[in-house]
Amino acid sequence: MTLELDSRLNSLGFAKPPAETRVVVAMSGGVDSSVVAALLADEGYDVVGVTLQLYDHGAALAKKGACCAGADIHDARRVAEERGFPHYVLDYENVFRDAVIDEFADSYLAGATPIPCVRCNERVKFKDLLATARDLDADCMATGHYIQRHAGPQGAELHRAVDAARDQSYFLFSTTREQLEFLRFPLGHLHSKAETRALAHRYGLIVADKPDSQDICFVPNGDYASVIKKLRPGAADPGEIVHADGRVLGTHEGIIHYTVGQRRGLGIGGLSDPLYVVRLDAEKRQVIVGPRELLATRAVPVREINWLGDAPFASRAEWPLSVKLRSTRPPTEAVLRPVSETEATVELLSPEEGVSPGQACVFYDPDGSRVYGGGWIWRG
């Protein structure tokens, strides 16, 4: 498992036999969470599987690669039946819409680039579902996320997964220390997804060869604009495409069709030099474009910070750390300067392109291993 433990403790860190340790496993219906449930059941733990219905069954069934609805609920139930542990489905559709989907739509309309998967973990899975696990008298809750939890001198610590290609720390930065004490991540030590699938075959799981979920679960085919139009009628109001020097270059059919850093599909052909989206002004309904060098950013304002360091966040004038500004980019060196307990300015030692409000800035120790939390990028 993922922890180096005293020999008196079981693999999840409790001083009692697995059979006396109740674990609620958050099961999405995919191979990762199914393997976690089967693995823990095989080790003799008192496993209870829980799946959240997050949106309408019919709509989700039409989309391949979705999670937490329709066929995935059926798959989670089948795994539980075949491995011999109880399974429950909880209707969280209204909670998910209020806590995740509505904010996603509003953030996009405001010109930001939101990450609803972080909000889902923060406001649904690690809040309401975790509370349900406690109500079920569970000792802990386990998930299929690729991240590691280590027992440190000041309590539980969050660390990147061994497999850098599968690491999900960027999406879990808002996990609080209290939540971390209750959570377990049994897959974080694996070296590849192939190991997970091998375990799925070993346990004979029906989802062993099931494809990974793609994109945001409630956004079919990654078409954000069409979802926003349905959620917020009138969202695609037209406006101007404006050069950073003030020249009006054309018109657009809604800023929801654009993201910072975008080059293709701007609809302003005939120009000799390539232009990129450098900013979105929702109030003026303007898409501001300019040369690539305008995308370079060194100072990044961050707020709503969740700090997982051992010393208090504001106890230092600055923290030399590594940060990730996008999930697909490696950590880069930076200096974090607290403004308050929940706000800071991040100075990047090397400029980054395409830094966008609404994205996360996740903090790591200088070698990029331990997660020190993170916050949300805003305009300042």
Side-chain angles (χ1 to χ4, degrees):
M1 301 299 289
T2 60
L3 301 176
E4 294 183 5
L5 300 169
D6 187 299
S7 61
R8 295 168 296 179
L9 306 181
N10 62 35
S11 63
L12 293 179
F14 298 98
K16 54 185 176 180
E20 297 177 13
T21 306
R22 174 166 291 179
V23 187
V24 164
V25 179
M27 300 182 68
S28 68
V31 63
D32 297 326
S33 58
S34 296
V35 164
V36 168
L39 176 68
L40 296 177
D42 185 62
E43 291 184 2
Y45 287 98
D46 178 11
V47 172
V48 178
V50 176
T51 300
L52 303 181
Q53 178 197 327
L54 298 182
Y55 49 92
D56 177 72
H57 284 224
L61 281 169
K63 183 202 168 187
K64 294 181 180 179
C67 69
C68 304
D72 290 308
I73 292 176
H74 174 72
D75 287 344
R77 183 181 291 117
R78 283 279 305 277
V79 168
E81 289 175 352
E82 293 178 0
R83 301 305 303 179
F85 57 83
H87 175 260
Y88 302 97
V89 179
L90 305 180
D91 183 356
Y92 274 43
E93 190 169 338
N94 289 336
V95 172
F96 185 67
R97 182 177 182 110
D98 293 342
V100 180
I101 296 181
D102 282 343
E103 183 188 72
F104 169 82
D106 293 338
S107 295
Y108 234 94
L109 288 177
T113 308
I115 315 174
C117 297
V118 175
R119 291 303 196 191
C120 182
N121 290 327
E122 175 186 311
R123 297 176 175 176
V124 181
K125 294 177 182 176
F126 291 174
K127 183 182 177 184
D128 294 334
L129 180 54
L130 193 145
T132 297
R134 293 186 187 279
D135 290 341
L136 291 171
D137 293 325
D139 293 284
C140 64
M141 186 173 87
T143 80
H145 289 104
Y146 287 86
I147 195 167
Q148 298 186 88
R149 173 192 182 277
H150 292 172
Q154 303 296 322
E157 298 175 356
L158 204 58
H159 290 251
R160 296 180 73 192
V162 169
D163 181 5
R166 305 295 304 182
D167 174 62
Q168 293 176 293
S169 58
Y170 184 83
F171 301 100
L172 296 172
F173 78 86
S174 63
T175 305
T176 67
R177 190 176 292 279
E178 180 183 7
Q179 292 167 345
L180 195 54
E181 293 292 343
F182 194 71
L183 289 165
R184 300 295 187 274
F185 308 106
L187 302 185
H189 70 295
L190 299 183
H191 289 82
S192 70
K193 183 60 176 271
E195 290 187 44
T196 305
R197 292 198 182 277
L199 285 170
H201 283 288
R202 170 185 165 188
Y203 294 122
L205 303 183
I206 60 169
V207 297
D209 296 313
K210 186 174 182 177
D212 292 340
S213 59
Q214 301 294 326
D215 300 315
I216 297 170
C217 65
F218 59 90
V219 181
N221 305 315
D223 188 357
Y224 299 172
S226 65
V227 172
I228 302 300
K229 288 179 182 178
K230 292 178 182 178
L231 294 171
R232 299 290 185 271
D237 291 334
E240 297 175 331
I241 299 176
V242 182
H243 194 282
D245 63 14
R247 288 177 292 152
V248 176
L249 303 179
T251 59
H252 63 77
E253 296 182 354
I255 65 171
I256 60 173
H257 297 287
Y258 300 85
T259 58
V260 173
Q262 179 178 335
R263 176 186 174 187
R264 299 183 183 276
L266 300 183
I268 48 174
L271 299 173
S272 58
D273 297 322
L275 296 176
Y276 300 78
V277 176
V278 298
R279 188 163 56 87
L280 298 172
D281 190 326
E283 186 175 340
K284 295 180 180 179
R285 299 201 304 275
Q286 289 182 338
V287 175
I288 294 87
V289 299
R292 183 171 182 173
E293 54 263 27
L294 292 184
L295 288 172
T297 302
R298 279 188 177 275
V300 182
V302 181
R303 62 185 177 183
E304 294 183 57
I305 288 173
N306 176 56
W307 180 247
L308 295 175
D310 295 332
F313 178 60
S315 64
R316 295 187 190 176
E318 58 183 42
W319 296 85
L321 295 173
S322 294
V323 301
K324 286 184 72 170
L325 302 174
R326 287 191 179 179
S327 62
T328 55
R329 293 182 180 177
T332 184
E333 289 183 289
V335 176
L336 179 64
R337 294 188 174 89
V339 175
S340 69
E341 293 290 346
T342 58
E343 293 188 18
T345 298
V346 175
E347 180 185 343
L348 305 174
L349 272 60
S350 299
E352 288 265 341
E353 294 184 353
V355 177
S356 175
Q359 293 284 293
C361 179
V362 182
F363 314 146
Y364 301 85
D365 61 9
D367 68 9
S369 174
R370 182 179 172 184
V371 184
Y372 277 88
W376 297 98
I377 300 169
W378 62 302
R379 288 187 178 88

